[in-house]
Amino acid sequence: MRYVERVLEQLKAKNPGEPEFHQAATEILTSLEPVLSRHPEYEAAGLLERFIEPERVILFRVPWVDDKGCVHVNKGYRVQFNSAIGPYKGGLRFHPSVNLSIIKFLGLEQILKNSLTGLPIGGGKGGSDFDPKGKSDAEVMRFCQSFMTELCRHVGQDTDVPAGDIGVGGREIGYLFGQYKRIRNEHVGVLTGRGLSYGGSLARTEATGYGLVYMTAEAMKCRGDSFEGKTVIISGSGNVAIYACEKAQTLGAKVVAMYDSNGYIYDKNGIKLNVIKDIKEVERGRIKTYADRVDGAIYHEGCKGIWAIPCDVALPCATQNEIDEASAKLLVKNGVKYVGEGANMPTTLEGIAVFQKAGTVFLPAKAANAGGVATSALEMAQSSSRLFWTFEEVDRKLKGIMESIYHNMDEAAREYGMEGNYVAGANLAGFKKVAEAMMAQGIV
Ligand code: NDP
């Protein structure tokens, strides 16, 4: 049996009931075959077996008290996956769907994503099944304090540096940081995505969405194309979606649809982003109310229908497995030319196959959404040096990083005879550096 097949079979047997982890591992490992056949020494060193096993998994209880005095208990997770090229780095997700499988798939992806940025950061991920939606600020604060009371003994600026993800934005990072500082008595860059008044970086908030659009624009430029006049669909209406929309609009595109987990809005005149920002960033409300505020906009209950809207560019920016085979086929039928993944693993394996067969330019998450973690690494550099850069300086570096990731994965795909296959290109380019570092460090 081939090495990859054998490792995948072992992974499924040893980690039953973890479908998202199996899915991510299958996507990654199967695309690494060309590099493994060039390096037989990797198999002898058990490199893949070590690569897919987290260095450490931390599971903990998070008890907290709501405003009525009732006690709740949530699950807390931190997966410290791989530190071969730098301290563990990856976000925290607070969402009721969070489980070990999801955190492990995100952590595995994160290793290669972080490597692709060219910066010295390893891979990790964490979170909780806590749902911040509908909770008061005081409840969110008590939850974050309880979460960090345990997490603080496992993280540190040179060990593991978490950041935000779904359900963890500026408010949550602030509460988590406050508790870390209180317990450890050190004001250090242990979390990224911090507020500007306490060590954060300009442009971090915008980074993932902007970065996604910078990379898509570079892919377009290489084909003599641009965002100018393009019709764009963006799923989600959170941090990544909002700033992807902002940058796409700045580059001349018309974004016609967005959603939250209840349903989507279609605005044929182009989304008014200031209205979305008011609803989502200020009021923490539902996207449905957009249709009450903007003439001509229509709200549809449920999310799936968004992919039936004809567009040139689709930017899935909400969550995993948003685009399945049927949705991918609809997008292709309606003429989509570019798909850039802002969310992590938003396209199923079958959906990816549809895009690749149709010749759609498909930019996979670990490359296309790496702008967030890249800027987090820039935040780490700024906090260590205690010198902070202007918005323009960070934004310029971000754009440069995204363009260079695009070219690195493009070249890796060509080098292994898979021109235009960026899923393989991103995995191969990201894996190369991690594999070399792991080989150099012995069997650990
Ligand atoms: P946010 O919490 O800010 O926004 C998430 C958005 O997705 C919300 O609009 C939310 O709707 C929607 N959503 C969440 N779950 C579902 C679901 N099951 N079905 C439909 N819609 C859903 O998160 P982010 O914008 O930070 O993250 C979005 C994605 O991008 C995630 O996959 C994350 O891992 C990835 N990512 C984020 C980075 C960052 O810097 N923030 C960096 C790299 C990747 P609702 O409000 O109704 O829940």
Side-chain angles (χ1 to χ4, degrees):
M1 193 189 291
R2 284 173 13 243
Y3 184 32
V4 164
E5 255 175 63
R6 182 162 47 79
V7 173
L8 275 174
E9 211 161 88
Q10 281 168 9
L11 175 141
K12 288 175 188 165
K14 282 190 183 182
N15 303 273
E18 297 186 1
E20 294 86 358
F21 182 48
H22 299 175
Q23 182 182 339
T26 305
E27 188 249 270
I28 292 171
L29 265 51
T30 49
S31 69
L32 296 180
E33 302 253 16
V35 81
L36 295 166
S37 54
R38 266 193 210 177
H39 292 279
E41 71 277 18
Y42 287 176
E43 182 169 356
L47 190 79
L48 277 192
E49 291 88 330
R50 291 187 284 131
F51 177 71
I52 50 100
E53 191 66 40
E55 289 174 17
R56 195 169 298 103
V57 175
I58 301 150
L59 301 175
F60 53 101
R61 175 170 76 197
V62 191
W64 59 281
V65 181
D66 70 18
D67 289 345
K68 296 195 187 87
C70 296
V71 175
H72 299 264
V73 179
N74 284 98
K75 286 179 182 292
Y77 302 86
R78 186 71 186 165
V79 174
Q80 298 181 329
F81 223 120
N82 192 302
S83 61
I85 64 170
Y88 311 107
K89 180 94 199 80
L92 297 171
R93 176 176 291 191
F94 292 170
H95 192 271
S97 64
V98 163
N99 56 37
L100 189 57
S101 170
I102 288 180
I103 298 297
K104 281 169 69 178
F105 113 64
L106 290 165
L108 185 64
E109 285 272 308
Q110 195 82 43
I111 303 169
L112 299 181
K113 180 186 310 191
N114 293 1
S115 168
L116 276 173
T117 65
L119 301 165
I121 37 180
K125 199 81 191 186
S128 172
D129 59 356
F130 173 76
D131 188 359
K133 233 178 276 162
K135 306 288 189 302
S136 70
D137 285 352
E139 288 172 330
V140 171
M141 181 182 75
R142 288 195 291 275
F143 174 81
C144 289
Q145 290 178 339
S146 179
F147 186 88
M148 184 50 87
T149 300
E150 173 60 33
L151 189 69
C152 74
R153 69 186 88 214
H154 308 289
V155 296
Q157 63 171 345
D158 296 318
T159 312
D160 184 358
V161 184
D165 190 75
I166 293 179
V168 179
R171 173 181 62 171
E172 290 76 15
I173 293 288
Y175 294 147
L176 291 163
F177 183 77
Q179 185 72 351
Y180 179 88
K181 186 170 62 63
R182 185 182 185 197
I183 297 176
R184 299 282 293 262
N185 195 22
E186 44 185 43
H187 197 299
V188 293
V190 66
L191 290 158
T192 56
R194 282 170 290 151
L196 296 177
S197 57
Y198 63 97
S201 171
L202 285 161
R204 173 61 188 92
T205 306
E206 293 82 356
T208 309
Y210 277 22
L212 168 67
V213 173
Y214 287 146
M215 177 174 289
T216 312
E218 185 65 11
M220 290 171 160
K221 193 171 133 200
C222 293
R223 291 161 175 81
D225 203 355
S226 79
F227 265 104
E228 188 64 46
K230 294 280 185 303
T231 301
V232 179
I233 288 175
I234 299 180
S235 64
S237 46
N239 173 262
V240 181
I242 285 176
Y243 292 96
C245 180
E246 185 166 286
K247 187 52 77 178
Q249 289 181 337
T250 309
L251 297 184
K254 190 201 251 188
V255 180
V256 295
M258 292 177 84
Y259 68 50
D260 65 19
S261 56
N262 292 110
Y264 71 94
I265 45 152
Y266 173 62
D267 186 344
K268 63 178 186 325
N269 302 314
I271 296 278
K272 312 278 174 297
L273 191 59
N274 57 332
V275 178
I276 296 282
K277 283 188 179 180
D278 278 349
I279 297 170
K280 289 294 169 184
E281 294 186 335
V282 181
E283 301 159 25
R284 294 181 190 275
R286 308 309 301 160
I287 207 164
K288 186 179 183 173
T289 58
Y290 181 94
D292 306 331
R293 301 180 197 191
V294 178
D295 283 345
I298 306 167
Y299 174 74
H300 297 266
E301 200 64 35
C303 299
K304 271 262 171 284
I306 200 170
W307 308 117
I309 301 171
C311 64
D312 305 300
V313 184
L315 303 175
C317 294
T319 194
Q320 62 271 6
N321 295 329
E322 303 175 69
I323 302 184
D324 58 12
E325 187 176 12
S327 304
K329 282 184 174 160
L330 262 180
L331 281 162
V332 167
K333 184 169 145 255
N334 288 330
V336 73
K337 293 187 185 59
Y338 303 90
V339 176
E341 294 191 315
N344 281 310
M345 205 168 76
T347 315
T348 62
L349 292 172
E350 297 76 17
I352 295 173
V354 171
F355 292 133
Q356 288 182 330
K357 190 162 165 232
T360 311
V361 177
F362 180 80
L363 303 167
K366 70 174 68 66
N369 72 21
V373 75
T375 309
S376 278
L378 300 180
E379 181 177 330
M380 288 164 76
Q382 293 171 83
S383 36
S384 301
S385 67
R386 291 177 167 48
L387 287 173
F388 290 86
W389 307 329
T390 60
F391 186 97
E392 290 68 29
E393 199 167 350
V394 180
D395 191 36
R396 188 175 46 77
K397 287 184 162 60
L398 166 67
K399 186 162 180 283
I401 291 170
M402 295 314 293
E403 291 169 358
S404 106
I405 296 176
Y406 172 77
H407 290 288
N408 284 345
M409 71 179 180
D410 185 51
E411 274 158 32
R414 284 172 204 271
E415 185 188 337
Y416 288 96
M418 289 180 278
E419 188 175 338
N421 180 345
Y422 300 129
V423 173
N427 288 335
L428 290 162
F431 183 70
K432 203 166 167 241
K433 185 170 159 196
V434 177
E436 279 170 19
M438 286 178 73
M439 290 299 283
Q441 292 168 26
I443 309 296
V444 290

